[in-house]
Amino acid sequence: MSKFDNHQTVKKFREQNPLDNSTPVSPLDADWLRRLCLEMGADDVGFVEIDRQEIADQRQDILVAFPPTKTLVSFVCRMNRENVRSPARSVANVEFHTTGDEVNQIGREIVATLEQKGIRALNPAMGFPMEMDRFPGKIWVVSHKPVAVAAGLGHMGIHRNVIHPKFGNFILLGTILIDAEVTAYNRPIDYNPCLECKLCVVACPVGAIGMDGHFNFSACYTHNYREFMGGFTDWVEDIAESKNARDYRQKVNDSESASMWQSLSFKPNYKAAYCVAACPAGEDVIGQFLRNKKEFVQEVVKPLQDKEETIYVVPGSDAEAFVERRFPHKKVKQVSNGIHPNSIRGFLFGLPLLFQRNQSKGLDVTYHFTFTGAEECQATVIIKNKTIQVLDNHVGTANIHVTADTETWLRFLAKEKNIVWALVQRKIRIKGSLQLLQAFGKCFPS
């Protein structure tokens, strides 16, 4: 007999639950689960089995977060379009945050209802807060976008936002992990609602979206998330490096300080979501665009383009050159993106995200990296035709071979170690032209 058998709670549970608690839960009726989600406030919902190929690359992370996961419930909540379209950031940001809170609340209520029915479930955050102990690595628990696509709730547009076939991209996404199967699963829709009108391209203040579909993550992250994560870190370093209040004000003006206060007090402010605002896709959205395209551009897109505002860019980045050329009336401010990789794997993971393709023009180089010490690793980086490939191990013939002590390399990236010192101390060794290493650095301004 277990030492717990005579405990009152144990006795009461066994009286009320005579069956073996390990009995598997029968598949949930998909129609019932869908009705539940809609009654709780979701605007659309779909179901994806954990073994679906479309989410294979994040299956392990999902199972770490909630080991018994069998099904992912993906749902969307609509945002008010005109609020998101407003050039006034306060209006747009209140809409983002209010709808985000709604997504989290709906997810919580669905989970609470399932729990009352004996079904284990978990709802990760819609967006922030996230797992900042992992920063600058993968800080989210579930990648909502690929789950939503797999669940038939839309497809990614060239602006990297999910476009719902009816609601357009004026949606926020939520995901619930449950430990039960459902009787029917959804599949991706058979067309992409994206019109490829390129209005997101012409509206973006930092040129993050290319006409050819290329996406410059660094440009978007540095400006739009200026008051989040890395941008906040950079601001803190501005404070730390300032000699006095006057010196600080030369780096950060009063408006910027007040904006940071506002973000700290009332949730962080996105500096731009113009790609979402300008998108005319979706059955509920497209009418205004089709009736008069010119008027749509004048009313929705041009106010965003014409807005006088500060655009945050990394010095020497493609975004800096773009803003100066395309939007000379907008003020360019050079900042750091605040991203300092804390591991070699993090460094390699970040290379495609931080790559500035226009800075790589003319390069056709294969780099071999060998890292020693705390984190031993070999990697190949190929920069050619304004594209980048990052491969495990040494592949092909290198134009330059860099061997570096892990700690020294990471401190060099964080600007805490001088490259000359590292070369003299042989903490970093180069076989090949030093100019090729300099060209490499130019492709990843930080």
Side-chain angles (χ1 to χ4, degrees):
M1 178 179 291
S2 167
K3 68 177 181 179
F4 302 116
D5 287 343
N6 291 323
H7 193 282
Q8 290 301 316
T9 303
V10 176
K11 289 180 177 180
K12 188 171 184 179
F13 174 83
R14 287 177 175 166
E15 289 172 2
Q16 296 175 348
N17 299 272
L19 296 178
D20 183 359
N21 194 45
S22 65
T23 302
V25 177
S26 300
L28 299 178
D29 181 78
D31 290 336
W32 171 83
L33 186 55
R34 177 178 175 80
R35 285 196 303 273
L36 170 66
C37 295
L38 296 178
E39 287 170 1
M40 293 294 179
D43 287 303
D44 200 2
V45 63
F47 311 125
V48 181
E49 61 272 41
I50 185 63
D51 292 327
R52 183 78 67 85
Q53 183 58 37
E54 292 99 312
I55 60 170
D57 61 344
Q58 60 168 323
R59 183 180 301 126
Q60 187 57 39
D61 290 341
I62 291 170
L63 293 176
V64 168
F66 190 57
T69 301
K70 294 183 178 67
T71 298
L72 289 82
V73 178
S74 178
F75 66 96
V76 304
C77 289
R78 285 180 287 182
M79 293 186 287
N80 293 324
R81 293 195 296 272
E82 298 306 330
N83 288 357
V84 175
R85 288 171 174 169
S86 174
R89 299 316 304 150
S90 61
V91 176
N93 278 304
V94 166
E95 185 62 30
F96 277 110
H97 289 310
T98 302
T99 308
D101 288 342
E102 183 181 358
V103 172
N104 287 328
Q105 183 62 29
I106 289 170
R108 183 181 183 281
E109 291 178 2
I110 293 171
V111 166
T113 301
L114 292 173
E115 190 173 278
Q116 290 168 7
K117 296 182 178 298
I119 301 160
R120 296 175 64 192
L122 177 144
N123 60 305
M126 179 282 305
F128 296 91
M130 292 187 176
E131 305 300 301
M132 285 305 162
D133 58 308
R134 305 175 188 171
F135 181 80
K138 184 181 178 183
I139 58 177
W140 52 94
V141 174
V142 174
S143 300
H144 300 298
K145 291 180 182 181
V147 177
V149 172
L153 299 181
H155 277 294
M156 301 271 276
I158 64 170
H159 51 16
R160 300 329 193 255
N161 298 306
V162 173
I163 303 176
H164 188 276
K166 183 174 176 59
F167 311 137
N169 75 169
F170 295 92
I171 56 173
L172 292 181
L173 310 174
T175 305
I176 297 169
L177 312 178
I178 64 175
D179 76 339
E181 296 177 348
V182 299
T183 55
Y185 290 100
N186 300 93
R187 296 289 160 181
I189 60 176
D190 58 5
Y191 74 101
N192 194 329
C194 179
L195 304 172
E196 296 192 11
C197 61
K198 307 296 175 67
L199 290 182
C200 57
V201 176
V202 299
C204 180
V206 291
I209 311 165
M211 282 291 183
D212 59 356
H214 173 77
F215 182 68
N216 186 333
F217 168 86
S218 175
C220 177
Y221 175 86
T222 302
H223 175 66
N224 192 31
Y225 292 86
R226 174 59 189 167
E227 294 174 13
F228 294 69
M229 303 171 293
F232 176 82
T233 300
D234 185 53
W235 173 71
V236 170
E237 291 179 356
D238 279 338
I239 296 174
E241 292 172 355
S242 298
K243 299 174 184 177
N244 50 43
R246 181 178 180 182
D247 185 35
Y248 168 77
R249 285 197 298 270
Q250 290 178 340
K251 298 173 183 176
V252 183
N253 64 37
D254 290 347
S255 174
E256 291 173 309
S257 292
S259 184
M260 192 63 76
W261 163 81
Q262 180 171 263
S263 283
L264 291 171
S265 303
F266 300 101
K267 297 186 178 181
N269 280 288
Y270 299 94
K271 293 297 183 185
Y274 300 171
C275 54
V276 178
C279 183
E283 296 167 14
D284 286 356
V285 187
I286 200 170
Q288 182 183 358
F289 175 72
L290 291 181
R291 282 191 288 270
N292 192 322
K293 297 182 183 66
K294 184 176 180 180
E295 183 179 274
F296 182 90
V297 171
Q298 286 295 120
E299 184 176 321
V300 176
V301 181
K302 202 163 187 310
L304 304 174
Q305 295 175 316
D306 292 346
K307 182 178 180 178
E308 295 184 5
E309 59 187 326
T310 298
I311 306 296
Y312 296 92
V313 300
V314 171
S317 65
D318 292 348
E320 181 178 34
F322 174 85
V323 179
E324 291 174 345
R325 180 182 72 254
R326 182 69 181 82
F327 297 117
H329 60 285
K330 296 182 186 285
K331 179 184 176 182
V332 171
K333 181 161 185 177
Q334 296 181 337
V335 296
S336 166
N337 57 29
I339 296 178
H340 308 304
N342 52 23
S343 69
I344 296 302
R345 282 298 171 192
F347 160 69
L348 296 172
F349 172 80
L351 289 179
L353 300 177
L354 301 179
F355 180 64
Q356 303 295 292
R357 64 173 178 171
N358 291 334
Q359 304 303 316
S360 74
K361 186 176 181 180
L363 279 183
D364 183 356
V365 184
T366 297
Y367 297 85
H368 280 177
F369 287 92
T370 299
F371 296 101
T372 62
E375 189 178 352
E376 295 186 353
C377 176
Q378 291 184 343
T380 298
V381 179
I382 302 171
I383 299 177
K384 181 179 181 180
N385 297 328
K386 296 169 69 172
T387 64
I388 181 172
Q389 276 186 289
V390 180
L391 308 170
D392 289 333
N393 302 313
H394 291 162
V395 180
T397 302
N399 301 98
I400 176 174
H401 191 149
V402 179
T403 302
D405 168 68
T406 294
E407 182 182 354
T408 302
W409 184 258
L410 294 175
R411 294 186 67 183
F412 162 62
L413 295 177
K415 298 180 173 61
E416 296 172 0
K417 284 289 184 183
N418 182 280
I419 186 67
V420 176
W421 175 90
L423 291 170
V424 170
Q425 296 292 318
R426 295 187 60 78
K427 294 289 187 178
I428 297 177
R429 303 190 300 277
I430 298 172
K431 186 178 180 181
S433 170
L434 184 59
Q435 290 181 328
L436 291 180
L437 185 59
Q438 293 172 329
F440 180 87
K442 187 179 178 181
C443 296
F444 307 97
S446 61

